[in-house]
Amino acid sequence: MTMNVAGASICDGELLVRGEARDIQLPNTEHVSQISVDVGGSLAKVVYFSRLAGTKGGRLNFRKFETEKIDECIAFIGRLLDESMASRPGHEFVIKATGGGAHLYYERFRDNLKATIEREDEMECLITGLNFLITEIPFEVFTYSEANPMCFEETPADPFPYMLVNIGSGVSILKVTSATTFERISGTSLGGGTLWGLLSLLTGAKTFDEMLEASQDGDNKNVDMLVGDIYGSDYSKVGLKSTTIASSMGKVFKKNVDKRQFKPEDISRSLLYMVSNNIGQIAYLNAQAHGLDRIYFGGCFIRGHPITMNTLSYAINFWSKGTKKALFLRHEGYLGAVGAFMKHRSSRRNSRSFTLTEQLAQKLAATEVADLDVTLAQDTLDVVAAEEESD
C-alpha cells in the first residue's frame, strides 16, 4: 500500500484538546503500518496512523506525555500494538524511537512492548520530519506578529538552505543545506527545561501549560527593569524604547522590597521573555554568521503560544532589520517523531509520492531516491511488521 499525501490537510474543523497538535488527514491513504516515538528530556511525543471509519483514508495522530511519566507513554503504545496485533496475529512489529530517551529508556520499551525497538538518530529525524511538513502539508508553516497573528507561507520551490532552532529542554541550532546534509552549528542550555525549572521553583504552577497560561495575565514591568526605569524615557540615540527590558528580574533585587509582592503571573511573563529573547538573539547571530534568511523554530517549548512566538519574531526582525524571517510550524513539537515515522524502511522505498524527493532527486543524484516508491505494509495503526525488513 502506498502512502499517498495528495489531498493531505490539517484537521482544522475539529475541537482541539488544549496543548495537543491537530491530526493530519490523509484522504488517499488507506493503511500505513507505522508508529514512532521521540523521547526528550521533558516530553515524549508519539505519532501513529489510524483509519477513519466509513472512509477510504486515515490520519496521522499526535500525542505527548511528560517524560517523567514515561510508563504512561509506554502503556499507550502498548494499547496501539494490541489493537494492531488483533488484526495481524503472529507478526512481530517494529517501533522507531528517537531522542535521548530512546537510549535511556530502551530496556523499558523493549521489555514492556511486544515489538522490536529500533533507534534512529535524533538530528536526522528532526530534519526528515521538518522537510516532510514544510513541503507536503499545506498551511503548516506560518509567520507571527501581533498585527497578523498567523500568516501562512507558500511552499518554497527549493526549501534549502535554512536554519532550524529546535527548542526542547535545551536548544539545538542546525544548518540544513539539502534533504540529507546538515550540521549542528550551535545551541544553548537555556531552553524549555530552564523556564520550566525556574517557574516550578518560583510559582505554584505544576505543568508547563499552566505556566504559559499564567504568563498571559502577567505584566513583566512589575518584575523587569526597563530602559524607562533607568532613563525615564526612550534612549533614542541607540534605538531603545522605554519599554525595552534592560535587566530581566532586575526589580527583584532592590533593598527593602517585600518579595511577596511579586505575583506568579508577572514572574512567569518575565522569565518567558528572558528565555525567548535569549534564544531569539542566539538564533539571529547564527543565521547572520552562516548567511541564512529562513529560520524555523521547532520544539514543544513554543506550543503555539502567542507571547513566545511574538517575542521570537520580534527578536529576529529587530536584529536583522527585517532581512530574516522567523517561521513557525503547527506541529512544531513533533518534528523528531514525524521524522522517525518516515524512517521506517517501507517509507523509503519510493519517493514518487513525496514532492520533496521529486524536487531534489536530480540534485542528490541518487538512483535509490529517484526510484523510491513509499510502499507500506497494510495495517490499521502505524506499526510496521518486522517481516518487511527481510524483504
Side-chain angles (χ1 to χ4, degrees), residues 237-294:
K237 187 174 182 179
V238 295
L240 296 177
K241 296 180 180 179
S242 63
T243 54
T244 301
I245 299 171
S247 175
S248 296
M249 304 286 287
K251 289 179 179 174
V252 177
F253 78 92
K254 288 188 175 182
K255 295 179 181 179
N256 302 319
V257 172
D258 185 354
K259 301 300 187 290
R260 291 173 296 180
Q261 77 178 44
F262 298 110
K263 298 178 181 179
E265 53 266 37
D266 296 339
I267 294 171
S268 297
R269 191 153 186 144
S270 170
L271 292 180
L272 180 60
Y273 278 151
M274 180 184 74
V275 173
S276 299
N277 276 320
N278 184 65
I279 293 171
Q281 186 166 19
I282 292 173
Y284 160 73
L285 291 172
N286 277 279
Q288 183 72 7
H290 291 269
L292 303 170
D293 294 331
R294 282 180 290 194

Side-chain angles (χ1 to χ4, degrees), residues 137-169:
I137 306 302
F139 304 108
E140 173 69 32
V141 180
F142 62 95
T143 57
Y144 186 92
S145 68
E146 289 182 334
N148 195 350
M150 187 175 278
C151 183
F152 290 106
E153 289 282 300
E154 295 290 334
T155 301
D158 183 358
F160 309 109
Y162 66 77
M163 191 172 82
L164 169 62
V165 183
N166 195 59
I167 314 171
S169 298

Side-chain angles (χ1 to χ4, degrees), residues 67-369:
T67 301
E68 66 177 17
K69 300 176 182 177
I70 193 65
D71 289 332
E72 293 182 9
C73 176
I74 293 173
F76 176 77
I77 295 174
R79 290 193 292 273
L80 296 181
L81 285 169
D82 288 342
E83 290 182 39
S84 186
M85 288 176 180
S87 64
R88 298 194 66 181
H91 289 288
E92 181 183 355
F93 295 97
V94 174
I95 294 172
K96 290 291 187 179
T98 190
H103 302 273
L104 181 62
Y105 298 108
Y106 173 76
E107 287 78 10
R108 198 177 299 187
F109 276 97
R110 181 196 62 196
D111 296 342
N112 288 279
L113 296 174
K114 302 170 186 177
T116 299
I117 310 300
E118 293 186 352
R119 291 168 286 190
E120 296 289 341
D121 179 76
E122 179 178 2
M123 299 303 168
E124 286 185 9
C125 287
L126 284 173
I127 299 309
T128 300
L130 178 55
N131 287 340
F132 173 75
L133 289 170
I134 65 179
T135 59
E136 301 296 344
I137 306 302
F139 304 108
E140 173 69 32
V141 180
F142 62 95
T143 57
Y144 186 92
S145 68
E146 289 182 334
N148 195 350
M150 187 175 278
C151 183
F152 290 106
E153 289 282 300
E154 295 290 334
T155 301
D158 183 358
F160 309 109
Y162 66 77
M163 191 172 82
L164 169 62
V165 183
N166 195 59
I167 314 171
S169 298
V171 181
S172 284
I173 300 178
L174 306 176
K175 175 183 177 181
V176 184
T177 52
S178 79
T180 57
T181 308
F182 65 90
E183 61 176 317
R184 186 181 188 274
I185 55 177
S186 187
T188 173
S189 62
L190 303 182
T194 308
L195 181 65
W196 196 344
L198 289 173
L199 290 179
S200 295
L201 290 172
L202 299 174
T203 72
K206 302 298 182 184
T207 68
F208 195 58
D209 287 321
E210 287 181 16
M211 297 170 191
L212 291 179
E213 190 171 333
S215 70
Q216 295 275 75
D217 301 320
D219 188 344
N220 71 297
K221 73 174 182 290
N222 295 326
V223 177
D224 295 339
M225 184 178 292
L226 310 181
V227 168
D229 295 321
I230 300 172
Y231 284 87
S233 63
D234 297 344
Y235 188 1
S236 303
K237 187 174 182 179
V238 295
L240 296 177
K241 296 180 180 179
S242 63
T243 54
T244 301
I245 299 171
S247 175
S248 296
M249 304 286 287
K251 289 179 179 174
V252 177
F253 78 92
K254 288 188 175 182
K255 295 179 181 179
N256 302 319
V257 172
D258 185 354
K259 301 300 187 290
R260 291 173 296 180
Q261 77 178 44
F262 298 110
K263 298 178 181 179
E265 53 266 37
D266 296 339
I267 294 171
S268 297
R269 191 153 186 144
S270 170
L271 292 180
L272 180 60
Y273 278 151
M274 180 184 74
V275 173
S276 299
N277 276 320
N278 184 65
I279 293 171
Q281 186 166 19
I282 292 173
Y284 160 73
L285 291 172
N286 277 279
Q288 183 72 7
H290 291 269
L292 303 170
D293 294 331
R294 282 180 290 194
I295 307 171
Y296 291 93
F297 288 91
C300 280
F301 171 78
I302 300 171
R303 303 198 188 193
H305 191 245
I307 296 174
T308 306
M309 293 188 294
N310 190 64
T311 304
L312 292 170
S313 293
Y314 181 84
I316 296 300
N317 185 69
F318 177 83
W319 291 110
S320 72
K321 294 180 172 58
T323 62
K324 302 185 187 302
K325 188 182 293 187
L327 299 168
F328 302 97
L329 301 111
R330 299 176 71 184
H331 296 86
E332 76 272 282
Y334 291 89
L335 304 184
V338 170
F341 185 91
M342 303 303 298
K343 286 285 186 175
H344 280 279
R345 180 172 179 265
S346 55
S347 307
R348 300 196 300 270
R349 290 183 186 164
N350 193 327
S351 78
R352 299 298 297 175
S353 297
F354 294 97
T355 329
L356 171 63
T357 315
E358 288 183 327
Q359 293 172 350
L360 303 177
Q362 291 183 343
K363 288 185 179 182
L364 298 175
T367 304
E368 66 272 17
V369 172

